[in-house]
């Protein structure tokens, strides 16, 4: 009787332990599943990362979802429908936060800088663009300001002293060439430069790559990587109310992104147009 009771208790304990272990394993697996949202060519990078041994070693199951609209992706991230996203500059994120005080995002860390370029199918040099021409520029605040800064750096316009990363066309102080600005959806740039009415367009590198354009060789003028362009550094972002544990897990993704193996892949696949930036978040704020 006593022996049978001991055996019975032992069986119960084994069943309980197995149950707890199964439950914990399932919960652990769910915790490590990360949905990452991205746009354009970046999906290629993160799908590559999803298959890396380092990702498996970190107990991360990465699911990559492609979006076509940055605001929709940020909203999905802020609402927790997407865990983390990788597509935007810090300036773009700050503009989103300013417009959406109840759905805020946090920066996990920096990834790269893609130089913004001025493109044209009609002219080979900036000096050839006639006065009064139409210049196409992004219609969202962060990229509008970024484009105007680039035009100013190129010597085509002058900006007001209080011009900021969220300033629009009213931030232009002087337009000596009397350019007309056509605000466009960022994603249409490669098509817009084929429009006979448009002399040139400012196109982000992610979109330029989709249009088979290389910012380093095909643009008339492009951004240089320096202190003045730090607001344009791309970031990994998540919901501001994400837990510390979740943010710690997303930091692992960032570490894998900056690994030598992944960076060699990015360099090779994108012809050096995605320039790695591995800086602390404080660098963006100082």
């Amino acid at each position: 009787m006593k022996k049978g009771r001991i055996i019975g208790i032992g069986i119960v304990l084994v069943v309980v332990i197995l149950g707890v272990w199964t439950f914990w394993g399932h919960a652990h697996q769910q915790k490590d599943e990360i949905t990452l949202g991205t746009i354009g060519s970046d999906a290629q990078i993160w799908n590559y990362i999803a298959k890396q041994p380092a990702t498996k070693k970190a107990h991360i199951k990465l699911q990559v979802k492609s979006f076509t609209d940055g605001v929709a992706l940020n909203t999905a991230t802020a609402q927790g429908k997407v865990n983390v996203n990788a597509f935007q500059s810090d300036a773009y994120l700050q503009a989103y936060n300013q417009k959406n005080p109840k759905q805020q995002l946090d920066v996990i860390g920096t990834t790269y800088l893609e130089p913004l370029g001025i493109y044209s199918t009609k002219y080979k040099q900036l000096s050839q663009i006639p006065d009064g021409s139409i210049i196409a520029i992004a219609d969202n605040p962060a990229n509008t300001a970024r484009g105007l800064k680039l035009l100013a750096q190129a010597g085509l316009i002058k900006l007001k002293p209080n011009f900021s990363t969220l300033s629009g066309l009213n931030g232009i102080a002087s337009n000596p060439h009397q350019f007309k600005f056509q605000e466009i959806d960022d994603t249409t740039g490669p098509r817009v430069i084929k429009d006979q009415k448009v002399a040139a367009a400012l196109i982000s590198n992610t979109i330029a790559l989709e249009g088979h354009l290389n910012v380093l060789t095909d643009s008339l003028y492009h951004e240089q990587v320096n202190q003045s362009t730090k607001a344009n550094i791309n970031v990994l972002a998540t919901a501001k109310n994400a837990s510390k544990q979740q943010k710690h897990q997303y930091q692992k993704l960032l570490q894998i992104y900056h690994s030598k193996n992944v960076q060699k892949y990015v360099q090779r696949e994108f012809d050096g147009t995605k320039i790695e930036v591995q800086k602390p978040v404080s660098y963006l704020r100082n």
Side-chain angles (χ1 to χ4, degrees):
M1 289 285 288
K2 192 178 290 185
K3 185 177 180 182
R5 188 179 297 171
I6 292 171
I7 292 172
I9 292 171
I11 292 172
V12 170
L13 285 172
V14 169
V15 170
V16 170
I17 291 169
L18 285 174
V20 170
W21 180 261
T22 302
F23 174 80
W24 181 88
H26 179 71
H28 186 65
Q29 183 183 30
Q30 291 298 316
K31 181 186 69 175
D32 289 342
E33 290 179 356
I34 297 175
T35 300
L36 181 143
T38 189
I39 291 177
S41 59
D42 278 11
Q44 183 180 335
I45 298 172
W46 292 99
N47 277 317
Y48 178 80
I49 289 172
K51 299 172 184 176
Q52 289 302 294
T55 306
K56 185 177 180 180
K57 188 176 180 181
H59 306 292
I60 293 173
K61 182 179 179 182
L62 185 63
Q63 181 183 4
V64 180
K65 285 189 175 182
S66 290
F67 285 70
T68 57
D69 180 72
V71 175
L73 175 49
N74 271 344
T75 301
T77 306
Q79 293 174 348
K81 296 175 183 177
V82 169
N83 300 124
V84 63
N85 69 45
F87 78 97
Q88 66 193 319
S89 67
D90 183 56
Y92 188 99
L93 183 146
Q94 297 306 321
Y96 173 84
N97 277 350
Q98 191 174 75
K99 283 192 171 185
N100 298 273
K102 294 183 179 180
Q103 296 188 126
Q104 299 280 287
L105 298 174
D106 257 355
V107 173
I108 297 296
T110 62
T111 51
Y112 61 78
L113 184 138
E114 290 183 288
L116 176 69
I118 303 173
Y119 296 83
S120 176
T121 57
K122 302 169 186 65
Y123 307 104
K124 299 296 183 182
Q125 297 178 358
L126 290 177
S127 59
Q128 295 175 345
I129 300 176
D131 289 357
S133 293
I134 295 175
I135 307 294
I137 193 166
D139 63 359
N140 67 74
N143 286 340
T144 300
R146 182 177 180 179
L148 291 173
K149 281 185 174 181
L150 185 59
L151 291 170
Q153 289 166 10
L156 299 179
I157 62 173
K158 290 184 179 180
L159 303 175
K160 293 178 181 178
N162 62 347
F163 191 89
S164 73
T165 55
L166 297 179
S167 294
L169 294 172
N170 58 2
I172 298 174
S174 174
N175 181 10
H177 299 285
Q178 300 179 326
F179 290 135
K180 299 177 181 68
F181 296 97
Q182 178 181 328
E183 294 185 278
I184 62 169
D185 183 313
D186 302 55
T187 61
T188 63
R191 296 201 307 273
V192 169
I193 56 172
K194 297 176 183 178
D195 186 333
Q196 290 302 312
K197 296 179 182 179
V198 175
L202 290 100
I203 308 173
S204 67
N205 188 55
T206 298
I207 304 304
L209 287 170
E210 291 179 6
H212 307 290
L213 298 168
N214 183 311
V215 67
L216 304 180
T217 57
D218 297 324
S219 67
L220 304 184
Y221 189 86
H222 60 79
E223 290 174 332
Q224 301 298 316
V225 182
N226 53 41
Q227 191 74 9
S228 69
T229 58
K230 68 179 182 180
N232 305 327
I233 294 170
N234 274 40
V235 297
L236 199 66
T238 189
K240 190 169 186 177
N241 61 4
S243 69
K244 287 184 179 180
Q245 188 176 12
Q246 287 173 316
K247 290 178 180 179
H248 176 71
Q249 196 72 346
Y250 305 152
Q251 282 286 349
K252 293 180 183 178
L253 268 184
L254 195 65
Q255 291 169 8
I256 296 169
Y257 175 85
H258 287 296
S259 66
K260 288 183 180 179
N261 185 44
V262 171
Q263 286 307 306
K264 283 182 181 178
Y265 173 81
V266 173
Q267 176 73 18
R268 182 176 69 248
E269 292 295 313
F270 300 99
D271 298 322
T273 63
K274 294 179 186 282
I275 303 166
E276 183 186 14
V277 178
Q278 192 171 8
K279 296 284 188 180
V281 177
S282 58
Y283 172 79
L284 301 174
R285 303 292 169 255
N286 295 333

